[in-house]
Amino acid sequence: MKFVDEFRDGALAQGIARAIHAEAQPHRRYAFMEFCGGHTHAIARYGIPDLLPAHVRMIHGPGCPVCVLPIGRIDLAIYLAVKRGVILCTYGDTLRVPASDGLSLLRAKAQGGDIRMIYSPEDALRIARDNPKREVVLFAIGFETTTPPTAVALMGAEREGLDNFSVLCCHVLTPAAIAHILDSPEVRDLGLVSLDGFIGPAHVSTIIGSQPYEFFAEEYRKPVVIAGFEPLDVMQAILMLVRQVNAGRFAVENEFTRAVSRAGNRRAQALVVECFELRKHFEWRGLGEVPYSALKIRERFARFDAEARFDLAYQPAPDHKACACGAILRGVKQPIDCTLFGTICTPDTPMGSCMVSSEGACAAHYTYGRHRSPA
């Protein structure tokens, strides 16, 4: 299959690995963060760490929208389904994330909440059409990749006059999270996380392009290489980062040229601007309060804003005390550093969001890497 099989060629992977070994200088250590959870799973699934020199290390980032969704936001969705009797529509991974009082959306559904898994916002619009006497709420989450479809749903609801449809908007922004990590005490002051560069997300970059990352290269002097999700994509991105570090360069390079341009998808960007504006405050799981890092619905579509329609007030909620998801999302810890990992916390009995999501670091390590000997 074009653009799949040729990016999983074992002989080519060995060749790139030899180039990394040859060019990674033995007297220095390299630490690169893959921001996106899709890259985290590719790295674990294809055993990429086994192909790298010991002094080239990958650090997991917070690039999973399910993982960074704070408990308080899930509590709001549960409240709407259980206490306000709405039909709540959301994506599959969100259903199993632990919330307050031992609940999750899936457990709230078992208690009688009308909570439905959807594959796209269009499914939620269809449910609203089919149930004109019920309030239907789309629990919309995700980075820049899933924001344009939510915008299309808002425009469709406006066009059709679906007054029983609204959106609980929890869309967040990738560049703000990267800046927050680089400004964090763990990176800047305490030295707990050493970062020499980033592998930029693939799907997000198809929407926003490569241009937004240029600020990080210039301001923080950190190279960024945008990469696809196949193993050769990731290997080539690591080699490109090693070369930039060796040369003392800090640039944005695009390995994923078959899908990403500098400008991105202008039509999708225009849809987002038309429907959403920046929030001043938004909490991320693991990162805490990150200013101007999320989106809210514009005044034009206010009647479709579930927070306004149901007079919702966000209340922060603490994570499980023993769960290390927050530290893992910041790159401070690895999944095996968590005392719950692989014992109490498994994909069947998740204690935190990193084990729930199909892009979570704990789920990736449990599925592909838990039997590897630690370095």
Side-chain angles (χ1 to χ4, degrees), residues 70 83 95 153 242 248 252 265 277 317:
K83 300 297 184 181
L95 294 173
V242 167
V252 177
N265 187 325
E277 60 187 4

PDB file of all heavy atoms in Angstrom, residues 70 83 95 153 242 248 252 265 277 317:
ATOM      1  N   PRO A  70      -8.809  17.283  31.944  1.00  0.00           N
ATOM      2  CA  PRO A  70      -8.864  17.182  33.405  1.00  0.00           C
ATOM      3  C   PRO A  70     -10.163  16.535  33.881  1.00  0.00           C
ATOM      4  O   PRO A  70     -11.186  16.553  33.179  1.00  0.00           O
ATOM      5  CB  PRO A  70      -8.783  18.647  33.861  1.00  0.00           C
ATOM      6  CG  PRO A  70      -9.353  19.423  32.729  1.00  0.00           C
ATOM      7  CD  PRO A  70      -8.961  18.669  31.471  1.00  0.00           C
ATOM      8  N   LYS A  83     -27.683  14.202  35.670  1.00  0.00           N
ATOM      9  CA  LYS A  83     -28.535  15.142  36.414  1.00  0.00           C
ATOM     10  C   LYS A  83     -29.450  15.959  35.513  1.00  0.00           C
ATOM     11  O   LYS A  83     -30.552  16.332  35.912  1.00  0.00           O
ATOM     12  CB  LYS A  83     -27.664  16.091  37.240  1.00  0.00           C
ATOM     13  CG  LYS A  83     -26.773  15.403  38.266  1.00  0.00           C
ATOM     14  CD  LYS A  83     -27.581  14.675  39.326  1.00  0.00           C
ATOM     15  CE  LYS A  83     -26.669  14.074  40.395  1.00  0.00           C
ATOM     16  NZ  LYS A  83     -27.445  13.326  41.425  1.00  0.00           N
ATOM     17  N   LEU A  95     -14.893   7.634  27.137  1.00  0.00           N
ATOM     18  CA  LEU A  95     -15.867   6.942  27.975  1.00  0.00           C
ATOM     19  C   LEU A  95     -15.244   6.311  29.212  1.00  0.00           C
ATOM     20  O   LEU A  95     -15.892   6.226  30.257  1.00  0.00           O
ATOM     21  CB  LEU A  95     -16.581   5.860  27.163  1.00  0.00           C
ATOM     22  CG  LEU A  95     -17.477   6.338  26.017  1.00  0.00           C
ATOM     23  CD1 LEU A  95     -17.967   5.146  25.204  1.00  0.00           C
ATOM     24  CD2 LEU A  95     -18.658   7.127  26.555  1.00  0.00           C
ATOM     25  N   ALA A 153     -20.042  21.146  12.614  1.00  0.00           N
ATOM     26  CA  ALA A 153     -21.269  20.767  13.317  1.00  0.00           C
ATOM     27  C   ALA A 153     -22.017  21.998  13.825  1.00  0.00           C
ATOM     28  O   ALA A 153     -23.250  22.076  13.732  1.00  0.00           O
ATOM     29  CB  ALA A 153     -20.937  19.828  14.472  1.00  0.00           C
ATOM     30  N   VAL A 242      19.199  14.897  15.459  1.00  0.00           N
ATOM     31  CA  VAL A 242      20.605  14.700  15.838  1.00  0.00           C
ATOM     32  C   VAL A 242      21.507  15.610  15.008  1.00  0.00           C
ATOM     33  O   VAL A 242      22.431  16.262  15.531  1.00  0.00           O
ATOM     34  CB  VAL A 242      21.006  13.218  15.677  1.00  0.00           C
ATOM     35  CG1 VAL A 242      22.529  13.048  15.746  1.00  0.00           C
ATOM     36  CG2 VAL A 242      20.334  12.355  16.731  1.00  0.00           C
ATOM     37  N   GLY A 248      24.460  22.748  15.833  1.00  0.00           N
ATOM     38  CA  GLY A 248      24.079  23.946  16.573  1.00  0.00           C
ATOM     39  C   GLY A 248      22.986  24.740  15.880  1.00  0.00           C
ATOM     40  O   GLY A 248      22.889  25.961  16.028  1.00  0.00           O
ATOM     41  N   VAL A 252      12.910  24.599  12.123  1.00  0.00           N
ATOM     42  CA  VAL A 252      11.765  23.711  11.935  1.00  0.00           C
ATOM     43  C   VAL A 252      11.946  22.999  10.605  1.00  0.00           C
ATOM     44  O   VAL A 252      12.065  23.652   9.558  1.00  0.00           O
ATOM     45  CB  VAL A 252      10.436  24.487  11.948  1.00  0.00           C
ATOM     46  CG1 VAL A 252       9.270  23.537  11.665  1.00  0.00           C
ATOM     47  CG2 VAL A 252      10.240  25.181  13.283  1.00  0.00           C
ATOM     48  N   ASN A 265      -3.747  23.839   6.483  1.00  0.00           N
ATOM     49  CA  ASN A 265      -5.043  23.788   5.803  1.00  0.00           C
ATOM     50  C   ASN A 265      -5.786  25.097   6.093  1.00  0.00           C
ATOM     51  O   ASN A 265      -6.408  25.257   7.134  1.00  0.00           O
ATOM     52  CB  ASN A 265      -5.838  22.581   6.297  1.00  0.00           C
ATOM     53  CG  ASN A 265      -7.113  22.359   5.512  1.00  0.00           C
ATOM     54  OD1 ASN A 265      -7.765  23.305   5.076  1.00  0.00           O
ATOM     55  ND2 ASN A 265      -7.491  21.106   5.342  1.00  0.00           N
ATOM     56  N   GLU A 277     -13.058  31.194  19.683  1.00  0.00           N
ATOM     57  CA  GLU A 277     -12.092  32.186  20.118  1.00  0.00           C
ATOM     58  C   GLU A 277     -11.322  31.636  21.308  1.00  0.00           C
ATOM     59  O   GLU A 277     -11.718  30.623  21.900  1.00  0.00           O
ATOM     60  CB  GLU A 277     -12.778  33.504  20.480  1.00  0.00           C
ATOM     61  CG  GLU A 277     -13.790  33.384  21.600  1.00  0.00           C
ATOM     62  CD  GLU A 277     -14.560  34.681  21.816  1.00  0.00           C
ATOM     63  OE1 GLU A 277     -14.344  35.635  21.044  1.00  0.00           O
ATOM     64  OE2 GLU A 277     -15.375  34.727  22.748  1.00  0.00           O
ATOM     65  N   ALA A 317     -10.855  19.019  39.930  1.00  0.00           N
ATOM     66  CA  ALA A 317     -10.941  17.799  40.735  1.00  0.00           C
ATOM     67  C   ALA A 317      -9.576  17.129  40.734  1.00  0.00           C
ATOM     68  O   ALA A 317      -8.905  17.072  39.704  1.00  0.00           O
ATOM     69  CB  ALA A 317     -11.991  16.851  40.171  1.00  0.00           C
TER      70      ALA A 317
END
